Amino acid sequence: MAKEKVVLAYSGGLDTTAIIPWLKETFDYEVICCCIDCGQGEELDGLEERAKLSGASKLYIENIIDEFCEEYIMPCVQAGAVYENKYLLGTSMARPAIAKKLVEIAHKEGAAAICHGATGKGNDQIRFELGIKALAPELKIIAPWRMTDVWTMQSREDEIEYCRKHGIDLPFSADSSYSRDRNLWHISHEGLELEEPSNEPNYEHLLVLGVTPEKAPDKPEYVSMTFEKGIPVSLNGKKMKVSEIITELNQLGGKHGIGIVDIVENRVVGMKSRGVYETPGGTILMEAHDQLEELVLDRATMETKKDMGNKMAQIVYEGKWFTPLREAVQAFVESTQEYVTGEVKFKLYKGNIIKAGTTSPYSLYSEDLASFTTGDMYDHHDADGFITLFGLPLKVRAMKMASLERDKK
């Protein structure tokens, strides 16, 4: 009788490498490794050999970079989705995309289960599992780090020893390093000195995508981008797809020290955690998109869209991508993007994105109205009646309070 199959979300790191023999030994599964490429670069080198050496029967490497950019990143950019005012959701956005691909492979392989290496303290376990439950409720989910009765490894040393005992002798080191997650949009860093909020980050040791503002060039660099219906379509006059624009912006932003955020955030599981995020290209892209929206969205729409952006950030952070609520919020956001078309210019300088002019055929900015000279459309006398009515509730309340004070005397 054929063994049941399990699809393992595989990165090639020590954790997921140790999980391969553990799954075979504990459950007698055939292990299918699946590495989802969201733009993590050289981290994918040599994975096939490593997976097979560790006992996997097959390795899928699935490139979903364009899908990640167009179907996950851009809806969040258009929404202005930022978690707790700082975090641009780099890891959060990738997890549903990965979960969807894991489910596809599980169905293709006729697997009984999906396994992930996320810890029991983090957000990723929630994001992976909510995605899997929404798309394939029949699949079993295995989370070794939560199965403390059968997963007995507590440290990197334990995992290295376990691998050695199973004939897997790979160049993993037990030295402590940052816990990182990387994709095209960002890289996150946790651990080491960051675990103590009173410590300053060791940026010399930590940064991967760029430099600190102090080390950025002394000369600013001008950049121009064009958007059509809220989607970037060109950079510095060159037409590109979204993934290419983000790649180029990462290089530009990294060079100029842009998008480095040190945040203590509230995880879904109830604890605070401290991390440093590098999102050079994403920071520029979101700022450029915001600049264009300033010109073309009316006040009431902008106000409501801000609320929807916060709601979208919460939905994505909590792993609720495959829900009717996310679809509804995204539908609202998409309707606001109809006229977010135009060109944004700015200069990058030592961590700053400085406006250098924005134009749109749908701009609601009217020089006639905004200038200090009186035009036909605005009669200053009209402001008298407006202020009288706008301030009426304040005046009525003040009169009432004054009369109550008089009555006391």
Side-chain angles (χ1 to χ4, degrees), residues 65-213:
I65 293 172
D66 285 329
E67 183 184 333
F68 175 46
C69 290
E70 289 154 22
E71 295 179 27
Y72 297 86
I73 289 176
M74 282 317 302
C76 291
V77 171
Q78 290 180 314
V82 181
Y83 183 68
E84 295 186 337
N85 297 317
K86 285 186 177 177
Y87 173 41
L88 303 189
L89 300 169
T91 298
S92 317
M93 294 185 297
R95 294 321 189 207
I98 292 168
K100 184 181 174 198
K101 190 52 76 171
L102 290 171
V103 166
E104 280 175 26
I105 303 283
H107 284 156
K108 181 178 169 184
E109 286 285 344
I114 290 176
C115 176
H116 66 78
T119 72
K121 280 187 172 182
N123 295 316
D124 284 338
Q125 55 181 345
I126 299 163
R127 296 168 184 151
F128 282 136
E129 294 183 34
L130 262 55
I132 295 163
K133 286 176 195 294
L135 299 172
E138 76 287 354
L139 286 175
K140 187 177 172 186
I141 299 169
I142 299 171
W145 283 101
R146 298 204 303 260
M147 302 168 74
T148 49
D149 49 337
V150 282
W151 175 269
T152 53
M153 291 169 269
Q154 297 293 310
S155 64
R156 286 180 70 84
E157 288 85 353
D158 288 350
E159 291 178 311
I160 290 167
E161 187 53 37
Y162 182 83
C163 286
R164 280 211 189 103
K165 277 184 184 162
H166 289 79
I168 307 161
D169 202 358
L170 290 166
F172 291 118
S173 65
D175 66 332
S176 55
S177 60
Y178 297 103
S179 171
R180 290 180 162 119
D181 178 72
R182 182 177 183 176
N183 58 43
L184 189 71
W185 186 246
H186 88 155
I187 186 165
S188 64
H189 313 265
E190 291 179 351
L192 299 190
E193 79 277 0
L194 302 178
E195 291 191 346
E196 175 49 69
S198 62
N199 289 335
E200 181 181 2
N202 180 0
Y203 286 121
E204 296 291 316
H205 182 208
L206 180 148
L207 295 177
V208 171
L209 300 181
V211 296
T212 56

Side-chain angles (χ1 to χ4, degrees), residues 254-267:
K255 174 181 164 187
H256 290 280
I258 284 158
I260 301 165
V261 169
D262 179 356
I263 180 176
V264 175
E265 72 194 61
N266 291 293
R267 284 184 181 170

Side-chain angles (χ1 to χ4, degrees), residues 114-380:
I114 290 176
C115 176
H116 66 78
T119 72
K121 280 187 172 182
N123 295 316
D124 284 338
Q125 55 181 345
I126 299 163
R127 296 168 184 151
F128 282 136
E129 294 183 34
L130 262 55
I132 295 163
K133 286 176 195 294
L135 299 172
E138 76 287 354
L139 286 175
K140 187 177 172 186
I141 299 169
I142 299 171
W145 283 101
R146 298 204 303 260
M147 302 168 74
T148 49
D149 49 337
V150 282
W151 175 269
T152 53
M153 291 169 269
Q154 297 293 310
S155 64
R156 286 180 70 84
E157 288 85 353
D158 288 350
E159 291 178 311
I160 290 167
E161 187 53 37
Y162 182 83
C163 286
R164 280 211 189 103
K165 277 184 184 162
H166 289 79
I168 307 161
D169 202 358
L170 290 166
F172 291 118
S173 65
D175 66 332
S176 55
S177 60
Y178 297 103
S179 171
R180 290 180 162 119
D181 178 72
R182 182 177 183 176
N183 58 43
L184 189 71
W185 186 246
H186 88 155
I187 186 165
S188 64
H189 313 265
E190 291 179 351
L192 299 190
E193 79 277 0
L194 302 178
E195 291 191 346
E196 175 49 69
S198 62
N199 289 335
E200 181 181 2
N202 180 0
Y203 286 121
E204 296 291 316
H205 182 208
L206 180 148
L207 295 177
V208 171
L209 300 181
V211 296
T212 56
E214 298 95 313
K215 293 199 160 181
D218 292 329
K219 193 176 167 204
E221 185 166 359
Y222 281 88
V223 178
S224 68
M225 291 173 73
T226 58
F227 287 80
E228 286 175 14
K229 298 191 175 185
I231 304 286
V233 291
S234 82
L235 183 62
N236 291 333
K238 192 174 159 194
K239 283 230 175 287
M240 297 186 204
K241 59 184 180 179
V242 176
S243 59
E244 292 167 337
I245 287 174
I246 294 170
T247 302
E248 188 74 19
L249 288 176
N250 274 335
Q251 190 270 324
L252 289 166
K255 174 181 164 187
H256 290 280
I258 284 158
I260 301 165
V261 169
D262 179 356
I263 180 176
V264 175
E265 72 194 61
N266 291 293
R267 284 184 181 170
V268 184
V269 291
M271 70 180 78
K272 286 187 183 287
S273 70
R274 196 259 190 112
V276 170
Y277 296 99
E278 295 179 72
T279 321
T283 302
I284 298 169
L285 179 53
M286 290 193 90
E287 175 64 25
H289 182 265
D290 285 352
Q291 285 182 27
L292 195 51
E293 281 194 335
E294 278 180 12
L295 273 190
V296 301
L297 293 188
D298 64 277
R299 180 182 171 187
T301 303
M302 277 191 85
E303 205 174 283
T304 304
K305 188 173 175 289
K306 187 77 182 157
D307 293 340
M308 288 292 119
N310 287 334
K311 177 54 74 179
M312 184 75 160
Q314 187 184 355
I315 290 166
V316 177
Y317 190 82
E318 292 179 356
K320 296 176 180 172
W321 186 275
F322 300 107
T323 59
L325 179 57
R326 192 271 306 166
E327 290 173 9
V329 171
Q330 190 172 325
F332 167 83
V333 170
E334 281 174 1
S335 74
T336 68
Q337 299 301 292
E338 182 67 25
Y339 302 109
V340 183
T341 293
E343 184 178 29
V344 181
K345 292 179 183 170
F346 43 87
K347 62 182 176 184
L348 309 178
Y349 181 67
K350 293 196 177 291
N352 295 292
I353 302 165
I354 302 161
K355 282 187 184 182
T358 314
T359 55
S360 169
Y362 305 108
S363 172
L364 298 180
Y365 181 90
S366 163
E367 202 173 331
D368 282 353
L369 279 171
S371 71
F372 287 100
T373 54
T374 305
D376 294 339
M377 283 178 70
Y378 195 95
D379 186 332
H380 286 264

